[in-house]
Amino acid sequence: MNLDRTHDAAVKSWLASANQPHCDFPLQNLPYAIFRRKGGAEEFRAGIALGDQVIDLAALVRERCLSGLALQAAVACAQPSLNAFFAMGPDAWRALRHAVFALFEAPAAGASTMADTPALETCLVAQTDVEYNLPASIGDYTDFYTSIDHARNIVKLLRPDSALSPNFQWMPLAYHGRVSSIGLSGQQVRRPLGQRLAAGHSVPEVSACARLDYELELGIFIGVGNQEGEPIPVTHAERHVFGLCLLNDWSARDIQMWESTPLGPFLAKNFATTISPWIVTMEALAPFRHAWERPADEPQPLAYLDAPANRSEGGIDIQLEVWLMSELQRKSDAHAARLSRTSFRHQYWTVAQMVAHHTVGGCNLRSGDLLGSGTISGPTAAEAGALIELTAAGKTPVALGNGETRAFLEDGDTVVMKGWCERPGFARIGFGENRGKVLPARVVS
Amino acid sequence: MNLDRTHDAAVKSWLASANQPHCDFPLQNLPYAIFRRKGGAEEFRAGIALGDQVIDLAALVRERCLSGLALQAAVACAQPSLNAFFAMGPDAWRALRHAVFALFEAPAAGASTMADTPALETCLVAQTDVEYNLPASIGDYTDFYTSIDHARNIVKLLRPDSALSPNFQWMPLAYHGRVSSIGLSGQQVRRPLGQRLAAGHSVPEVSACARLDYELELGIFIGVGNQEGEPIPVTHAERHVFGLCLLNDWSARDIQMWESTPLGPFLAKNFATTISPWIVTMEALAPFRHAWERPADEPQPLAYLDAPANRSEGGIDIQLEVWLMSELQRKSDAHAARLSRTSFRHQYWTVAQMVAHHTVGGCNLRSGDLLGSGTISGPTAAEAGALIELTAAGKTPVALGNGETRAFLEDGDTVVMKGWCERPGFARIGFGENRGKVLPARVVS
């Protein structure tokens, strides 16, 4: 990936909050969300995070702060979804990011204050004053399964007599997920009812899920789609990807065990999926690219999944954490408990390979489509991205630090996911948070 | 289901073509589509089929032929999708159907010709002069697997050492499908490329699908959705269903065999799904309801899937046929070959059970969502709804009658599905046709 001035950590913003050391949203990030001021009187529209503010792109247009392709891109952003902006493609994405970077960068030492700072200040809204909406109108949602550590953990726990499915090392496996129940950080998720088969029984029962779990994933937003019947080559795949967010693939393990053969997960997953509001662009992630390596004794990627750039920098070193805040912790003002920490760089398949595989048969992606990366679990036990792995399917509960333990999620639990990139010499690029709370099951009448 | 005057075969239309004996669209049917005059100058909008004409609902509004709830419903139809009309619910659907029935019914013997017939004639467009669009903006597409004859055939052919999955008889199994590649009758489907594992090999290859198949299904359009976390009881499920169409779930069997464990079908299905343009309402199908029986020695439905009305009339006796027209047949003006014929009444699970199961965990359905019934195969070999069953996975090709045979689909083949209901004393209720043509695979570069 090319690095340029927008990746230079030495460049500061005139907005002080953007220059704080642990800020998720420095000048080098500039992620996108759909927002409005709280209260519901305004239309939802696109904004960019900077420090503790939201840059209102519609206001930048109104104040005549933009021109050329950046202006056209900002006009496309003045809508309640980012789909039209996505469809403009990487040149437009880059033009707007660079123009906003220039508007909000601090003047060089000795130069006078920028003339239009007062106008720009009218384009800022405090993040504490806004509410968010889904960033895009999502046409299709596909959930991948691309962490070999996660896959091996699951096989060991649930089907100890079988091996990793032989196709896993040949293709990024995936299934289609549910769009209607995708919600935004803050989503309240009702514990699902469903059929499950108790051990040793042959007749299933219907009850509230007893093994409710999260899955730590990244969400991948498709910027530019493809025509039906026209695969996207792996070499071009990243030009079709706009950016990434945090994704919680809530999972009902008991329902999943009983329903999933032969058609895969259905009700075990489709009651809720939660994403974070801010989409971090692929351009902002450029300094954190990582080699993607396939050990020589494992299957090498088939031609349509292989490219030099994918090997040299297909991975991305995104630090990820899952925290849990129980109702008891919340009421006693206790700290949340960190359940795990890992990095996206361990993933067995890359974002470009997911896109190339998804389209190789001619399936068309559209602007605003969402891909889930699949659970992100690293090579050690503490890096597991789901409770089922951390607790050995409930047999070894984790301690929350306040005396409570968890085998699976309980009512009132809030799951918080965090993500960020850090590397010496570069600004921290953060994803913000993804929160979701478990509500009790509906009473069966 | 209640039968009323709109189901009475003795009532004729003043439009002669609606009274022809084999007409799919008599006055008792009145199915909906989104259409416009060919040429592209007009906006797409909703119409109702009658005889060989389309009733333009926007024109009925303009000519002031409607009032009350029927008028409101017709106004909601003056859009390029039926979603808003769907969301109005069964009272509105019924009001519009009954109002249109009254406008187009022939005057009683001895009565003078209806005064407004000339105005109504201006609201008709010949079906030969129109083109169609997808009837709804489809938010999610779910494909079920509800024919036990199909499931048993597939297990016998592909996994002879295993039994029918034990969950099959306890729940209507399903997986989420792809929305972006759903096309309308007339769709040209490019043969997909993909990974497959040749028998006896351990390394997969990428090539054009060699086992391309169709699956005969019905499409089920959701009229009214539900809130996330609020299941739809089986007793109310049909009030959420607007109507049915013909659906071809194109399937790449070799890709499916290699990719489907453990997450189910993905690229094997997501390159194309074809639906017919006309949606036949549940109300028009009322005379053809059929008892749904579960043999006493098989698992009886769990409470959330059981209801007296579902047992007494959960089934629907819809006759279905699949025809194949090869390129050679087409060029020589030969007849198409009928591959199979069956009825939807054999299905192991009903439409109401599909809706109740889909939502039991809290998953929200939305107006315009599409469910596929799953392949419809009847109890005898000639009633199979896919080539893989008819040809014993390619081992016993079927004859097309002109010397050609088919193990699986070949380039240039057109698959035609037809559906209709017939019962002595009632008008024939037809679905029209669902056609799709196979294009050669893209050349691998």
Side-chain angles (χ1 to χ4, degrees), chain A residues 373-386:
Chain A
S373 63
T375 307
I376 302 168
S377 294
T380 69
E383 289 175 278

Side-chain angles (χ1 to χ4, degrees), chain A residues 319-376:
Chain A
Q319 309 298 314
L320 297 159
E321 287 181 345
V322 182
W323 296 70
L324 191 145
M325 170 73 87
S326 72
E327 196 67 5
L328 191 64
Q329 286 172 314
R330 193 183 62 77
K331 285 181 177 160
S332 58
D333 280 329
H335 289 292
R338 190 174 75 191
L339 300 183
S340 67
R341 180 171 177 177
T342 187
S343 165
F344 187 55
R345 74 171 183 275
H346 302 299
Q347 221 69 353
Y348 200 77
W349 296 103
T350 68
V351 171
Q353 288 169 325
M354 293 180 214
V355 170
H357 182 67
H358 203 315
T359 60
V360 68
C363 178
N364 54 322
L365 303 179
R366 295 180 292 185
S367 295
D369 281 354
L370 179 65
L371 315 183
S373 63
T375 307
I376 302 168

Side-chain angles (χ1 to χ4, degrees), chain B residues 240-302:
Chain B
H240 293 258
V241 176
F242 180 77
L244 309 181
C245 65
L246 303 167
L247 185 150
N248 182 350
D249 175 25
W250 301 90
S251 299
R253 301 298 182 193
D254 38 7
I255 296 171
Q256 188 175 356
M257 274 298 284
W258 170 230
E259 76 170 1
S260 291
T261 303
L263 295 180
F266 179 52
L267 300 188
K269 302 277 195 172
N270 72 4
F271 58 96
T273 302
T274 306
I275 60 174
S276 57
W278 293 106
I279 311 180
V280 176
T281 64
M282 296 305 279
E283 196 179 4
L285 295 169
F288 308 96
R289 303 306 298 238
H290 195 272
W292 175 85
E293 285 163 9
R294 182 58 59 88
D297 60 344
E298 293 188 22
Q300 297 304 303
L302 295 170

